[in-house]
Amino acid sequence: MKYLYPYQLLTAVKVSSGHGRMREILVAASGPSLYSFDIPNSQYLGQWTARNPPPVSLVTGDEDEGSAKKADQGKNKADPPNEGRATKKRKLSTGHVDSPYILSLESVNDDAFVATASDTDKCVRVFKIGGEGQIRLISERDFLFCGDKFGDVYSLDFPTSTAQEQHTQEEDHGSTAPIDMLEPSESLTLAASERTVHTGRNRAALRDQQQSRATRVPKAPSAGEHALLLGHVSMLTDLKTISAQEMDSRVGHNRLYLVSSDRDEHIRVSRGPPQSHIIENFCLGHKSFVSRLCVPAFDQSLLLSGDGDGHVLVWDWAESRVTQKLDIPTLIKQCTLKESEHRESYAIDSLESSHKVEQSESDGLKFPISILYAAQFQDPAKQHEDSTKGTPNSRHDYDQVLIFVDRLAYLFIYNFSETSGFTHQQTIPLKGNALSLVSILGNSSILVSIDTGRYLPEYHEAKGNRDFFECCRSPEIASTLTLQPIDRYDGLLDAAIIFSDILVIPQAMGMTVEMVDGKGPHFPDPLKSPEDAQFKELMTREVNVKEELNYVYEAITLTRKKLEGRVPLIGFCGAPWTLLCYMVEGGGSKLFIQVKTWLFRFPKESKQLLQKIAELCVDYLALQVVAGAQLIQVFDSWASELSPASFQDFALPYLNYISDNLPKRLEKLGKERVPMIVFAKGAWYALEPLCGSRYDVVGLDWLYDPLAARTLARERVVLQGNADPGVLYGTEAAITEVVSNMVQGFGGGKGGWIANLGHGVTPRVDPERLRFFLKEIHRVGGA
């Protein structure tokens, strides 16, 4: 089976399969869906999916309210998902509304129940797992504890009087609200206007809302008791329960306790209902936010807590006393040092490497504890011995805690004994960031879900455990990765683009760039101000891109040879403005505070650096053409962060410098001019000047209206784009609709058009969805 999301959460339950036999079932959350599998034979059993929530019911066109209600009804059956016939769609003027993403998944093994919490609909659901893996939504549970981001903890009741209504509606239709809530009941008054909305996408949404008969859907009242138990001042990060009757007698009471943590380093131990307002004690000792809590089943007198700096503390929670500190930071340093020693870019001695790792915290690179998992594991050989002798399987040979760190693909295993506490037993490398894990098969094995990032499975096979930039610097690996889409989608793609990265130019300029799992590009030492010695050294340094980036040219030459003329090969670079963003911000950003400070405090120095980058881009692209590239493309990924005036000052002149001077540089090298493509993501206001530049092709993101762009271009350039990459998460019917609208908008290619996505393929896309998209381009475009 293929899925559009990774398995972000895992749990296991034991259910009765009849004749007194118990069956172990894996329940996995993937985006808005739950899937069940038989663990011993990995067989798919069932599925439940939450449908799109209807926070605003907007009925447009000639559809009536009844058809709108009907359109929200889907199906949820214990059958593998399949593509059915496209049905009539309800027109929503607000556009796509995300399905509720499951954020939390907990199980109660003895009752075969699982509970989930989801984001967009803010809903807590309880399911019963049947003997054949059926996932049935119910509401008969007495109560459960739930915490929200505002720091509040609630007990939620699921009364049996509404169980049948809730169960029928959710299981059969998968909607996240009762059907009668879909009826419009309140007129929607828009607070926004043309004066307050500025971006093209938001203006289009505003016009749609103004033209629609929009109504607001009231929020459903709680069907059962909904009691506020306790509250934190800041955001809640984790919540655990402890049953005191299972502990030693020093606690003195048979009582339930709630242990909660927040973003302000607080761990609070409170009594359970009905005395939740009584705080027993606080466990204070972290210097960073508490990210995870864990109460080991093998010793509930202990509490483990992990924080945002990678520290793990072991508490005697009843006495608010730290009994042990696990040395996770040292393990993190060892792992990061081991990775850096395998990267060709870090040809430095061990002392410098150690210093760089020790400085990682001051450089802003954090490694929060993402998972703390305690379990009692049995040796499989002894488990088999028990089963053959007919003795009860009750002996647990290992009490262990498994620890995962965000942005670090390793598993740290600690053994526990009453005499020595926790001791490090093993470190296991993984192939991606761990998302969730669960112990299975009688606690003899663990199942770990990891996020591998890129969408082609063969990419991970070729990459192995290598660092991203190590792959870029190996001509053979880079060539292999370049050809993978061409081989997989044979006959459907019309060009290949060399596997590399736009940040190789800052590396050639002497800056250190790392690709961190789960975070992306990271500059440990970004530019801080023109007064720094680093900036002056950068500006005076002579950069030989022929030597520094020779591995790119070798990869291009090798790839051209392997392609044997099947498709042309595209070389590329990052635009000066986008490279400046990374060099100053130190990585991706939401606010771009540092680079905006540079632009408006140091405009002269910013333009000097932009000019130097532009000159290096010209040399770099020219040498790619010499090596065999048949087209080149310039990616201005952060163009959307500039105003029209700032784009004219800090982006367009340097894009034009590249298009004006690359042909001249090629002429001096004895090479013919090659087609040039420019892609300025989000710069909708720049289409006119880009069409008037010397670029042959202008790439468009999905925010452009194809017909409007074609009208403005007036056949001066070839347009490229511009399907929303998000459609690849949708159905085949949705893909066909997007392709048809795009082909029609661009006039079927008359006047010059290259069909493409409006940006790159996003993570966790099903490769077969992309294949269908490409086939539809050929089918609809060739009609």
Side-chain angles (χ1 to χ4, degrees):
M1 295 178 59
K2 298 180 174 64
Y3 305 94
L4 304 183
Y5 301 89
Y7 295 116
Q8 70 265 23
L9 297 164
L10 304 174
T11 191
V13 296
K14 292 182 179 179
V15 301
S16 174
S17 59
H19 308 291
R21 292 181 298 179
M22 299 300 291
R23 185 180 193 181
E24 192 172 13
I25 291 178
L26 172 71
V27 180
S30 175
S33 302
L34 288 179
Y35 295 92
S36 61
F37 301 88
D38 181 76
I39 289 179
N41 58 24
S42 303
Q43 178 186 359
Y44 167 87
L45 298 175
Q47 174 192 357
W48 182 93
T49 299
R51 300 305 184 193
N52 288 355
V56 179
S57 175
L58 300 176
V59 185
T60 62
D62 57 2
E63 294 177 314
D64 57 18
E65 294 171 2
S67 65
K69 180 194 304 183
K70 185 177 180 180
D72 267 46
Q73 300 179 3
K75 61 180 182 179
N76 275 297
K77 298 180 179 179
D79 295 323
N82 55 69
E83 289 296 330
R85 224 172 26 169
T87 57
K88 184 176 180 180
K89 295 183 179 175
R90 182 180 167 200
K91 300 178 182 178
L92 294 176
S93 63
T94 55
H96 175 68
V97 180
D98 290 337
S99 295
Y101 192 88
I102 297 174
L103 300 175
S104 180
L105 174 66
E106 299 290 341
S107 65
V108 182
N109 286 352
D110 55 347
D111 290 333
F113 290 101
V114 296
T116 67
S118 50
D119 57 358
T120 54
D121 60 352
K122 301 178 178 62
C123 187
V124 177
R125 297 180 175 88
V126 178
F127 301 84
K128 184 175 179 62
I129 309 301
E132 299 301 320
Q134 309 96 317
I135 304 175
R136 300 173 63 87
L137 187 98
I138 63 165
S139 54
E140 286 90 354
R141 297 296 291 162
D142 294 334
F143 67 89
L144 57 88
F145 299 115
C146 175
D148 64 22
K149 71 176 183 178
F150 299 107
D152 296 328
V153 177
Y154 297 87
S155 65
L156 303 179
D157 181 35
F158 291 87
T160 56
S161 60
T162 61
Q164 184 61 39
E165 175 188 356
Q166 178 86 349
H167 161 67
T168 302
Q169 185 263 316
E170 289 277 11
E171 182 188 6
D172 294 342
H173 303 292
S175 178
T176 59
I179 291 296
D180 56 13
M181 283 180 59
L182 297 176
E183 295 290 348
S185 63
E186 179 184 344
S187 177
L188 177 61
T189 302
L190 300 178
S193 67
E194 291 286 346
R195 294 183 178 181
T196 60
V197 176
H198 303 290
T199 67
R201 178 168 53 182
N202 288 345
R203 283 184 172 178
L206 176 63
R207 285 193 294 270
D208 287 345
Q209 292 179 17
Q210 290 171 337
Q211 295 170 3
S212 69
R213 295 186 288 114
T215 58
R216 188 181 302 278
V217 174
K219 202 167 185 177
S222 176
E225 183 181 353
H226 185 202
L228 175 63
L229 301 181
L230 57 92
H232 282 247
V233 175
S234 65
M235 181 185 295
L236 197 74
T237 57
D238 208 349
L239 174 66
K240 300 297 180 184
T241 60
I242 300 176
S243 179
Q245 64 238 28
E246 297 178 4
M247 297 172 48
D248 57 77
S249 59
R250 62 195 173 92
V251 176
H253 303 283
N254 291 334
R255 179 178 290 136
L256 186 70
Y257 290 87
L258 301 178
V259 183
S260 53
S261 60
D262 62 27
R263 295 283 297 188
D264 288 336
E265 305 95 42
H266 299 149
I267 301 175
R268 178 190 296 181
V269 180
S270 307
R271 294 184 182 180
Q275 296 180 313
S276 303
H277 60 284
I278 300 178
I279 300 175
E280 289 285 341
N281 53 52
F282 286 93
C283 296
L284 304 178
H286 286 282
K287 296 181 180 180
S288 179
F289 70 93
V290 182
S291 57
R292 284 293 179 267
L293 299 175
C294 176
V295 180
F298 48 77
D299 190 346
Q300 288 208 344
S301 69
L302 299 179
L303 169 70
L304 283 81
S305 59
D307 65 21
D309 289 333
H311 299 98
V312 175
L313 303 182
V314 182
W315 302 83
D316 180 335
W317 61 266
E319 298 182 4
S320 302
R321 178 171 58 89
V322 176
T323 63
Q324 189 177 356
K325 296 181 180 180
L326 305 189
D327 195 11
I328 305 299
T330 296
L331 298 178
I332 292 173
K333 291 177 183 179
Q334 292 173 354
C335 293
T336 53
L337 178 59
K338 181 180 180 181
E339 289 186 349
S340 68
E341 288 174 347
H342 288 285
R343 300 171 188 170
E344 297 175 9
S345 61
Y346 305 123
I348 52 181
D349 60 47
S350 59
L351 178 62
E352 292 174 322
S353 294
S354 300
H355 176 72
K356 180 180 76 66
V357 174
E358 289 170 0
Q359 294 298 318
S360 64
E361 288 192 7
S362 62
D363 291 334
L365 187 58
K366 303 290 186 179
F367 295 96
I369 300 298
S370 59
I371 298 176
L372 284 174
Y373 187 89
Q376 297 172 306
F377 294 101
Q378 185 178 32
D379 188 321
K382 294 183 178 181
Q383 186 182 43
H384 177 71
E385 179 183 340
D386 287 343
S387 63
T388 55
K389 292 181 178 179
T391 56
N393 181 16
S394 59
R395 184 176 63 251
H396 297 283
D397 300 298
Y398 307 107
D399 292 338
Q400 292 184 327
V401 167
L402 312 181
I403 302 174
F404 293 91
V405 179
D406 195 21
R407 299 196 278 273
L408 198 63
Y410 288 88
L411 163 61
F412 304 124
I413 301 178
Y414 277 77
N415 286 342
F416 174 77
S417 68
E418 293 183 358
T419 55
S420 57
F422 292 94
T423 56
H424 178 244
Q425 190 262 338
Q426 189 179 6
T427 297
I428 301 177
L430 305 174
K431 291 186 177 181
N433 208 33
L435 300 177
S436 184
L437 84 160
V438 64
S439 60
I440 58 174
L441 299 177
N443 286 345
S444 65
S445 304
I446 62 170
L447 185 63
V448 181
S449 171
I450 61 175
D451 186 1
T452 54
R454 298 204 169 218
Y455 73 99
L456 290 185
E458 55 264 38
Y459 166 83
H460 304 286
E461 296 176 8
K463 180 178 181 290
N465 291 323
R466 300 177 184 87
D467 171 74
F468 174 83
F469 283 114
E470 184 181 354
C471 294
C472 294
R473 294 187 184 94
S474 169
E476 181 62 43
I477 295 174
S479 176
T480 298
L481 295 175
T482 300
L483 293 173
Q484 284 180 349
I486 303 301
D487 293 337
R488 175 180 276 261
Y489 304 113
D490 187 28
L492 295 175
L493 294 172
D494 297 322
I497 187 164
I498 193 66
F499 181 88
S500 186
D501 195 83
I502 63 173
L503 298 180
V504 297
I505 286 185
Q507 288 178 330
M509 298 174 73
M511 300 190 73
T512 299
V513 187
E514 303 168 339
M515 193 65 72
V516 181
D517 287 338
K519 180 179 179 180
H522 171 69
F523 287 66
D525 191 17
L527 295 174
K528 295 178 177 63
S529 88
E531 300 301 320
D532 290 346
Q534 183 187 18
F535 174 76
K536 297 175 182 178
E537 181 183 352
L538 208 67
M539 293 303 298
T540 57
R541 179 178 177 176
E542 291 291 333
V543 181
N544 188 334
V545 293
K546 184 174 183 179
E547 293 182 1
E548 297 286 348
L549 301 176
N550 186 59
Y551 57 87
V552 178
Y553 316 133
E554 290 183 0
I556 289 174
T557 301
L558 180 60
T559 304
R560 273 292 305 274
K561 181 179 179 180
K562 290 182 178 180
L563 279 171
E564 297 180 333
R566 292 161 61 189
V567 293
L569 180 62
I570 303 174
F572 69 91
C573 74
W577 157 248
T578 290
L579 297 182
L580 178 68
C581 288
Y582 282 109
M583 294 164 69
V584 173
E585 293 289 343
S589 177
K590 292 183 178 180
L591 299 178
F592 292 85
I593 294 174
Q594 304 304 324
V595 74
K596 294 295 182 72
T597 301
W598 269 70
L599 295 191
F600 298 114
R601 284 192 181 181
F602 317 116
K604 179 181 177 182
E605 291 84 354
S606 297
K607 291 180 179 180
Q608 290 173 348
L609 182 52
L610 287 165
Q611 179 61 32
K612 176 157 188 171
I613 296 172
E615 293 170 1
L616 293 175
C617 287
V618 169
D619 290 341
Y620 176 48
L621 292 173
L623 291 173
Q624 289 187 57
V625 175
V626 172
Q630 295 155 286
L631 304 87
I632 64 92
Q633 181 158 354
V634 181
F635 290 96
D636 210 347
S637 304
W638 296 122
S640 59
E641 298 304 319
L642 292 172
S643 68
S646 294
F647 186 86
Q648 291 284 341
D649 283 343
F650 298 104
L652 186 61
Y654 308 100
L655 290 173
N656 285 340
Y657 179 89
I658 295 173
S659 64
D660 291 343
N661 288 275
L662 179 57
K664 300 175 184 177
R665 185 79 176 95
L666 289 174
E667 185 178 359
K668 289 182 180 179
L669 294 172
K671 291 291 182 178
E672 295 183 359
R673 184 186 187 280
V674 298
M676 298 181 292
I677 309 168
V678 62
F679 176 69
K681 183 177 180 293
W684 54 268
Y685 47 77
L687 182 56
E688 173 59 38
L690 290 177
C691 288
S693 67
R694 294 194 177 186
Y695 288 98
D696 305 282
V697 181
V698 175
L700 307 177
D701 59 47
W702 64 96
L703 302 184
Y704 286 93
D705 176 72
L707 180 58
R710 187 162 61 96
T711 302
L712 189 148
R714 301 192 303 279
E715 300 187 11
R716 290 174 291 172
V717 295
V718 173
L719 297 177
Q720 176 176 285
N722 70 328
D724 183 350
V727 74
L728 299 181
Y729 297 118
T731 63
E732 291 186 355
I735 294 173
T736 298
E737 182 180 2
V738 167
V739 169
S740 299
N741 292 338
M742 181 174 63
V743 171
Q744 182 179 2
F746 284 109
K750 298 176 182 178
W753 169 53
I754 300 173
N756 203 346
L757 294 170
H759 200 237
V761 178
T762 47
R764 298 184 287 276
V765 161
D766 182 352
E768 291 307 302
R769 283 288 192 272
L770 180 58
R771 182 188 301 278
F772 182 79
F773 171 80
L774 297 173
K775 286 184 176 181
E776 287 298 273
I777 290 289
H778 286 268
R779 183 185 67 82
V780 179

